[in-house]
Amino acid sequence: MNRTKVDEEEYWHSSKFKAFTFDDDDDDELSQLKESKRAVNSLRDIVDDDDDDLERVSWSGEPVGSISWSIKETASSGGPTLEGREPLKTRNSLSSYPPLPKPASSYSLSSFFKGRSRIGSFQSLSDALSDVPPKNYAPELRRPKGEYKDYSSDWSLSDTVRRLQKGKVCSLERFRSLQDKLQLLEEAVSIHDGNVITAVLIFLKRTLSKEILFRELEVRQVALRHLIHFLKEIGDQKMLLDLFRYLDRTEELALSQYQEHLSIQDPEKRKEFLKSCIGLPFSVEDAAHVQDHYTLLERQIIIEVNDRHLESSGQTEIFRKHPRKASILNMPLVTTLFYSCFYHYTEPEGTFSSPINLKKTFKIPDKQYVLTALAARAKLRAWQDVDALFTTKNWLGYTKKRAPIGFHRVVEILHKNTAPVQVLQEYIRLVEDVDTKLNLATKFKCHDVVIETYRDLKDRQQLLAYRCKVDKASAEEEKIDSILSSTQIRWKN
């Protein structure tokens, strides 16, 4: 009994580790820590110290990838267990190393590069990467020295242009003299890349005075055209006008100044601006257009004020049945004519809103006028106005229908506005070409026109074939039977 008690006490007070002495130079664990520290220090020579975003923090609170973390990680992979490390801390109390924590991952820095796990089994690189974040154990190597070249001094003219063409970052500030800047522009023009030319022109526009830039571009027409296009795109109207004045291109100067009306929203101010543009040095044709633009806007302002009053009062029938959807201001001439034919068709010629007045004032061709008036009156289903639009009288007083746009187009517009069959048939009969007439009549199911056309052509076979397409016991079938039974027609087939 006493022996057993002595054995238990000897067991609990015993230790398999030797006592620490200062002469213990062969301590395997301490030498392994030193060796790991030297290995990690040698690795840091190839690590990019400036890459701050690689630094992470482990569960122990220290940055992952740091020297102390790597020593602990390496020591934990190949050294003894935690129970074997505790005496080291006790014996070497003067050491600055903190206690080594139990490893949280199954890979160490050394085992990752060797391709084996802690238990000695080999793994593939893809397996290792799937388990361990690569930036924790494999820090990025330094970038090639070429990536850190000084862009402001190391690139030649041709290299600079090539880099711009490839969309790479490249500073142009090193080109300070006028000669270098012009050579850079000529190099950009020589590669025929509009983006590069524009980029160089932006640099010249920022670093050169207008007088020098205009003088040099005057003899470089390709670059000059690019600059004019660029100024139009960005809306730099002031510099564009200065450029045209310097080049003495008066017509382009006038057109560029005229375009400024697009930025004026107030109708009265826009009208006054257009009035000031009438005296600019336009070509003869452009001067007429500017004059018409001013006259049209002046007319639109008058019509808008009057119609707004009529619509608000509610006393005019057409404004009650068809309220206006938008203002007439700043609308094109054709839209203004359609508006006038829709709301003011019957007004006398002396009024500004009369369609005839607009036609004569702006010299609108007959085809355009008839086409616009037909669309407006057909939309209102005013078939009498449509009929009167195409009815003319000769000097003997005989009436005749005439359409400057062709009756086939009249039929298409009428059908688009859901004209009745009787109206469509009347205008299909006026189509001169027989094939066109048959196609339109068949397409819009104007049976009477088809039957009459085949009768006039004396085509019995086609009439028999069409008889199968009409309804049984209908008026059209009876009409076909009556024609087929007639003995006065000499059929061709």
Side-chain angles (χ1 to χ4, degrees), residues 3-107:
R3 183 176 180 82
T4 303
K5 185 175 181 181
V6 172
D7 293 340
E8 289 179 356
E9 292 179 356
E10 183 179 356
Y11 172 80
W12 288 111
H13 293 287
S14 64
S15 175
K16 60 182 178 179
F17 295 102
K18 297 183 295 182
F20 171 78
T21 61
F22 286 98
D23 297 330
D24 190 2
D25 297 329
D26 299 327
D27 191 298
D28 294 335
E29 185 174 4
L30 183 60
S31 61
Q32 185 179 6
L33 292 176
K34 294 178 179 180
E35 183 66 22
S36 298
K37 184 174 181 180
R38 286 194 296 269
V40 173
N41 286 335
S42 64
L43 284 175
R44 288 186 61 82
D45 293 336
I46 61 173
V47 177
D48 190 355
D49 296 331
D50 296 332
D51 199 351
D52 296 332
D53 60 351
L54 290 177
E55 181 175 281
R56 300 184 181 179
V57 179
S58 66
W59 290 111
S60 63
E62 296 193 22
V64 174
S66 62
I67 294 178
S68 60
W69 176 87
S70 301
I71 294 174
K72 295 177 184 180
E73 190 69 14
T74 307
S76 64
S77 65
T81 60
L82 185 61
E83 290 83 353
R85 294 195 194 96
E86 186 61 27
L88 176 64
K89 177 184 178 184
T90 306
R91 288 175 294 161
N92 193 10
S93 58
L94 298 177
S95 175
S96 61
Y97 296 107
L100 300 176
K102 185 176 181 180
S105 63
S106 59
Y107 298 97

Side-chain angles (χ1 to χ4, degrees), residues 282 342 485:
F282 293 101
F342 193 91
S485 62

Side-chain angles (χ1 to χ4, degrees), residues 4 18 22 89 125 168 193 197 221 253 258 273 330 334 347 359 366-367 397-398 406 421 485:
T4 303
K18 297 183 295 182
F22 286 98
K89 177 184 178 184
L125 181 60
K168 294 185 177 180
D193 191 316
I197 297 174
Q221 291 298 312
L253 173 64
Y258 164 72
F273 177 81
N330 300 318
V334 175
E347 290 186 4
K359 180 178 182 296
D366 288 342
K367 288 185 178 181
Y398 294 103
V421 176
S485 62

Side-chain angles (χ1 to χ4, degrees), residues 39-255:
V40 173
N41 286 335
S42 64
L43 284 175
R44 288 186 61 82
D45 293 336
I46 61 173
V47 177
D48 190 355
D49 296 331
D50 296 332
D51 199 351
D52 296 332
D53 60 351
L54 290 177
E55 181 175 281
R56 300 184 181 179
V57 179
S58 66
W59 290 111
S60 63
E62 296 193 22
V64 174
S66 62
I67 294 178
S68 60
W69 176 87
S70 301
I71 294 174
K72 295 177 184 180
E73 190 69 14
T74 307
S76 64
S77 65
T81 60
L82 185 61
E83 290 83 353
R85 294 195 194 96
E86 186 61 27
L88 176 64
K89 177 184 178 184
T90 306
R91 288 175 294 161
N92 193 10
S93 58
L94 298 177
S95 175
S96 61
Y97 296 107
L100 300 176
K102 185 176 181 180
S105 63
S106 59
Y107 298 97
S108 66
L109 181 63
S110 59
S111 63
F112 177 82
F113 285 106
K114 292 179 181 179
R116 81 180 70 169
S117 63
R118 292 178 182 274
I119 58 177
S121 62
F122 288 89
Q123 287 189 331
S124 65
L125 181 60
S126 60
D127 294 335
L129 291 175
S130 63
D131 293 336
V132 183
K135 287 189 178 181
N136 290 0
Y137 302 98
E140 290 186 1
L141 302 180
R142 289 187 181 273
R143 297 173 182 174
K145 291 183 178 180
E147 294 293 330
Y148 294 99
K149 281 189 175 182
D150 184 4
Y151 296 137
S152 65
S153 61
D154 290 347
W155 300 111
S156 63
L157 282 168
S158 58
D159 291 337
T160 302
V161 171
R162 290 193 194 98
R163 289 183 65 84
L164 289 174
Q165 189 177 23
K166 293 178 180 179
K168 294 185 177 180
V169 177
C170 188
S171 174
L172 303 180
E173 300 300 329
R174 65 174 294 263
F175 303 104
R176 298 183 179 180
S177 67
L178 177 61
Q179 182 180 0
D180 289 345
K181 292 176 181 179
L182 296 178
Q183 289 178 355
L184 179 65
L185 179 61
E186 292 173 356
E187 187 74 23
V189 172
S190 66
I191 65 172
H192 308 290
D193 191 316
N195 293 330
V196 177
I197 297 174
T198 303
V200 175
L201 286 173
I202 294 173
F203 170 66
L204 298 183
K205 176 177 175 289
R206 181 170 53 86
T207 58
L208 294 178
S209 64
K210 289 182 181 180
E211 292 75 13
I212 297 177
L213 179 62
F214 296 165
R215 182 191 67 199
E216 298 298 335
L217 291 183
E218 187 175 9
V219 295
R220 294 172 174 83
Q221 291 298 312
V222 175
L224 178 62
R225 288 194 295 270
H226 277 78
L227 179 62
I228 292 174
H229 180 75
F230 172 71
L231 294 176
K232 290 180 179 179
E233 287 292 321
I234 65 174
D236 193 344
Q237 196 69 18
K238 184 178 183 303
M239 187 171 185
L240 190 61
L241 294 175
D242 293 340
L243 177 59
F244 286 142
R245 288 192 186 96
Y246 178 86
L247 299 174
D248 197 24
R249 292 161 65 164
T250 56
E251 291 186 11
E252 292 182 73
L253 173 64
L255 288 173

